Amino acid sequence: MSLSDNSIARVAIAQINTTVGDFDGNTSKIINYIQRARQMDADIIAFPELAVTGYPPEGILLKSGFVKRNLDCLNTVIDASTGIVVIAGFVDRKDGIFNSAAVIADGKLAGVNHKMFLSSYGVFDEKRYFQPGAATSVYDINGLVFGVEICEDSWHAKGPHQIQTLDGNAQIVFVISASPFSAMRWQEREQMLSTRALDNSCYFVCCNLVGGQDELVFDGHSMIVAPDGAARFRGPSFEEALITADIDVQEVNHARRRDKSQPVCASNGIERVSIPKIRSACKKQKLPVNSFTPPDSLEEIYKALTLGVHDYVEKNGFNKVALGMSGGMDSALTGAIAVDALGSDRVVAVIMPSIYSSNETQSDAVEISKILGIQYYWIPIEKIFNTYLETLAEPFAGTKSGVPEENLQARARGDILMALSNKFGWLVLTTGNKSENAVGYGTLYGDMAGGLNVLKDIPKTMVYKLSNYRNGINLVIPQSIIDRAPSAELRPNQKDQDSLPPYEILDPIIEAYMEDDLDAADIVSLGFDESTVNRVIRMIDRSEYKRRQAPPGIKISVKSYRKAVRLPMTNRFHS
């Protein structure tokens, strides 16, 4: 490639789905995408942050064998990189370990860039494991000058991109990223990259990870932003893709001539790495722009949940999932998501009516199971419940029936689901939502018993919106389920609002307290009843011990419980 003959640089973005510690799988995938990019005559291909190891590796980084294996796999990638420039994330080891980007050119390691700004907020904990980088480089291939930085670096106005463009005259900055999904996060990412491109008069090429890893989902949505701040190309969301586009670097030169603050050529204060010409210069036919339209908010949340369930099940080696199908909203939506993620042949519903289950909910549980096309078991719990009561008759003598008796029913159901899980190796999906988890409206070792809580970060009001969204594609959730007042059906005529404020009041109070960190007075000032606010806050503060013991769930919001919101269980402070 020689820009004296051709100002077009063909870049490829490998938006891939990796798995932490799957070195063989990750390496094979990287090499496959390199081969595909080479066939498309790409000059440079970029992979996500820590593509070799998977992201986030967390505490497994402390095992020396993990880092060594990652370095061995990087060498395998280097050997497979003839005839192309490859940018790939890996863990470097030099007096500590570094979150790094390898720049590989024609089968040789040309340089390594270390991440300078380590993420240690929200779900991130990088400072616990990595050392920050202290220097950066630019790379020159016969007139094409580019820089490389890693995820969080690009979110800082004075990140390495500033040095790479001002001192190194980089025309393109490649950002390799593992930026987790939260609702409409792609808009913030795009706005940030647009600002960086405008401020530095250059192209920004962002390759973002896609896929589910434990509670996190990565949405992909890689993009190319031009020097004028416009997003010229957006990759797809929630799916792997090889994105190829042509960049005319003359646009950078024109932009910098207009912007007198940008030097046309400078070389002080930065290492410049010269890379020999990779292949003979050839005139390329410019590729057409084929950009994807981003999904709206409900669509992207539903897709994130579906991908999160699929990857959690697949990457952890489960063949099927099982859930308690009650005939209520939460289990109905959970079942629909599971079927969309895995297929109807891999989802099993267990209908476990008690003496308090209404005919309507029982019939709806059967109906939705049939609509979804899933196998279902009908296992009444009345005999088990009565056996519990007989067994506990002596210690319970003289007491009034109440919550303990209600919870016995939930625990009977939990036991049945876990027995099926143990017998057949199924993953149990719990069906509680974020509103219930926040205030402790659930039974430990009962309806909270399982391996993955699909709706853990979805408030009840959002459950209704997502259900209506899914029915807009094709009807899967009977309208009778959506219209019925929510109930745990653990006592006669029970309704959720017997124990909780209406969800349209409860959900914004939870958000204000747990996500916005407002105290009671601030929340009351928003127009909420003082006694209701104080009551909800007390329930939240008293329920942290339950949230700690709940199964993992898919993160959708900026502040999800357990991953980003951690309160002490022993706590005498109440706002």
Side-chain angles (χ1 to χ4, degrees):
M1 177 178 61
S2 172
L3 292 191
S4 59
D5 300 313
N6 183 8
S7 65
I8 304 298
R10 179 161 294 174
V11 301
I13 300 173
Q15 183 175 289
I16 63 173
N17 186 340
T18 60
T19 302
V20 169
D22 183 11
F23 288 110
D24 291 339
N26 296 344
T27 303
S28 176
K29 185 172 289 189
I30 290 169
I31 291 172
N32 174 266
Y33 273 74
I34 289 171
Q35 292 169 343
R36 290 171 57 189
R38 197 160 37 216
Q39 290 168 359
M40 298 181 73
D41 205 24
D43 299 305
I44 302 175
I45 180 169
F47 290 89
E49 180 178 7
L50 293 184
V52 173
T53 63
Y55 188 93
E58 298 180 315
I60 201 170
L61 284 163
L62 302 178
K63 298 185 180 296
S64 60
F66 182 86
V67 177
K68 181 182 183 302
R69 184 76 190 281
N70 132 94
L71 294 171
D72 291 341
C73 289
L74 178 66
N75 287 329
T76 302
V77 172
I78 292 171
D79 292 340
S81 300
T82 55
I84 194 169
V85 175
V86 176
I87 302 167
F90 78 108
V91 178
D92 195 18
R93 181 165 56 193
K94 295 182 185 303
D95 297 324
I97 60 173
F98 296 84
N99 185 338
S100 307
V103 179
I104 305 161
D106 199 20
K108 296 179 181 177
L109 183 64
V112 173
N113 286 41
H114 294 156
K115 189 172 186 178
M116 291 185 171
F117 293 90
L118 299 176
S119 308
S120 290
Y121 56 87
V123 301
F124 304 107
D125 205 9
E126 292 187 343
K127 287 183 179 178
R128 180 186 291 255
Y129 308 110
F130 293 116
Q131 298 293 317
T136 192
S137 307
V138 293
Y139 302 87
D140 187 337
I141 313 175
N142 290 90
L144 172 65
V145 184
F146 67 90
V148 179
E149 61 183 1
I150 304 170
C151 201
E152 185 70 17
D153 292 341
S154 63
W155 290 86
H156 293 260
K158 294 186 178 180
H161 51 264
Q162 188 180 60
I163 304 170
Q164 292 164 0
T165 54
L166 288 175
D167 291 341
N169 201 29
Q171 299 154 317
I172 304 173
V173 174
F174 288 89
V175 181
I176 65 170
S177 175
S179 179
F181 169 80
S182 59
M184 305 309 285
R185 175 69 167 170
W186 68 267
Q187 291 183 334
E188 297 176 48
R189 201 183 303 137
E190 184 172 306
Q191 184 177 11
M192 178 275 294
L193 290 169
S194 175
T195 300
R196 298 291 172 267
L198 276 168
D199 288 348
N200 296 280
S201 297
C202 75
Y203 273 94
F204 271 72
V205 177
C206 176
C207 176
N208 192 41
L209 183 66
V210 69
Q213 178 65 39
D214 292 347
E215 296 178 281
L216 300 179
V217 173
F218 300 89
D219 58 315
H221 202 98
S222 302
M223 63 187 73
I224 297 173
V225 182
D228 62 0
R232 296 286 177 85
F233 192 98
R234 298 185 185 97
S237 298
F238 307 107
E239 61 184 79
E240 289 188 309
L242 178 64
I243 303 155
T244 310
D246 290 335
I247 291 178
D248 187 347
V249 295
Q250 290 297 337
E251 290 187 54
V252 176
N253 300 331
H254 295 327
R256 287 179 179 171
R257 277 194 281 270
R258 290 192 299 269
D259 182 1
K260 301 303 183 183
S261 66
Q262 283 279 3
V264 176
C265 185
S267 60
N268 296 326
I270 189 172
E271 181 182 2
R272 180 178 292 265
V273 179
S274 293
I275 298 175
K277 184 164 57 176
I278 302 299
R279 63 169 68 92
S280 300
C282 59
K283 202 74 175 176
K284 295 175 182 158
Q285 183 176 358
K286 194 168 184 179
L287 291 172
V289 175
N290 182 24
S291 188
F292 289 80
T293 302
D296 63 25
S297 180
L298 286 176
E299 181 185 1
E300 71 167 2
I301 291 172
Y302 194 88
K303 285 184 173 181
L305 293 170
T306 304
L307 179 58
V309 169
H310 176 274
D311 279 9
Y312 192 88
V313 171
E314 288 291 323
K315 292 180 180 182
N316 287 290
F318 290 98
N319 182 45
K320 289 187 177 183
V321 300
L323 71 150
M325 187 67 77
S326 68
M329 278 292 301
D330 297 326
S331 63
L333 180 59
T334 300
I337 291 167
V339 169
D340 288 339
L342 303 168
S344 58
D345 59 326
R346 299 179 65 187
V347 181
V348 178
V350 187
I351 303 169
M352 298 170 282
S354 75
I355 57 173
Y356 302 119
S357 300
S358 67
N359 292 331
E360 291 78 15
T361 55
Q362 292 178 65
S363 62
D364 278 342
V366 173
E367 182 180 358
I368 188 171
S369 299
K370 290 180 177 179
I371 292 173
L372 294 173
I374 60 179
Q375 179 184 11
Y376 67 90
Y377 290 100
W378 182 278
I379 306 178
I381 65 166
E382 184 175 353
K383 288 183 180 179
I384 300 173
F385 180 44
N386 287 335
T387 300
Y388 275 143
L389 293 179
E390 291 172 11
T391 304
L392 293 167
E394 183 178 348
F396 279 16
T399 64
K400 199 174 175 183
S401 179
V403 172
E405 286 77 12
E406 294 177 23
N407 288 342
L408 286 174
Q409 299 166 73
R411 292 194 175 107
R413 292 179 174 127
D415 281 345
I416 290 170
L417 286 167
M418 290 311 300
L420 293 169
S421 173
N422 292 160
K423 177 64 76 173
F424 302 113
W426 300 340
L427 174 71
V428 174
L429 303 180
T430 63
T431 60
N433 59 63
K434 188 172 188 174
S435 309
E436 295 168 345
N437 291 334
V439 296
Y441 193 62
T443 304
L444 274 177
Y445 326 120
D447 57 343
M448 295 176 69
L452 182 68
N453 184 182
V454 179
L455 305 180
K456 184 173 185 176
D457 203 20
I458 303 295
K460 186 72 169 189
T461 48
M462 179 62 70
V463 169
Y464 284 95
K465 293 176 183 177
L466 288 172
S467 298
N468 286 319
Y469 161 79
R470 182 58 185 84
N471 275 355
I473 300 172
N474 65 296
L475 182 65
V476 294
I477 301 175
Q479 190 63 39
S480 55
I481 294 179
I482 297 174
D483 292 341
R484 185 182 303 113
S487 169
E489 291 195 325
L490 298 176
R491 64 174 182 263
N493 302 313
Q494 183 182 27
K495 299 290 184 291
D496 286 5
Q497 284 187 211
D498 298 340
S499 305
L500 303 173
Y503 285 109
E504 59 269 20
I505 295 173
L506 177 64
D507 284 351
I509 294 175
I510 292 171
E511 181 178 2
Y513 184 65
M514 294 196 74
E515 299 185 30
D516 299 335
D517 296 320
L518 301 183
D519 61 21
D522 292 329
I523 299 172
V524 170
S525 72
L526 297 175
F528 295 100
D529 173 70
E530 183 176 3
S531 62
T532 301
V533 169
N534 289 329
R535 177 181 163 218
V536 170
I537 289 176
R538 280 196 303 272
M539 287 191 289
I540 292 172
D541 288 346
R542 290 168 54 191
S543 299
E544 178 65 15
Y545 79 101
K546 281 189 176 182
R547 292 190 291 271
R548 293 281 184 98
Q549 298 180 70
I554 300 161
K555 177 184 176 296
I556 296 300
S557 66
V558 174
K559 284 189 174 182
S560 62
Y561 310 154
R562 180 166 155 170
K563 262 295 184 185
V565 178
R566 306 170 197 174
L567 302 176
M569 290 184 288
T570 305
N571 169 31
R572 292 188 178 179
F573 173 80
H574 302 289
S575 84

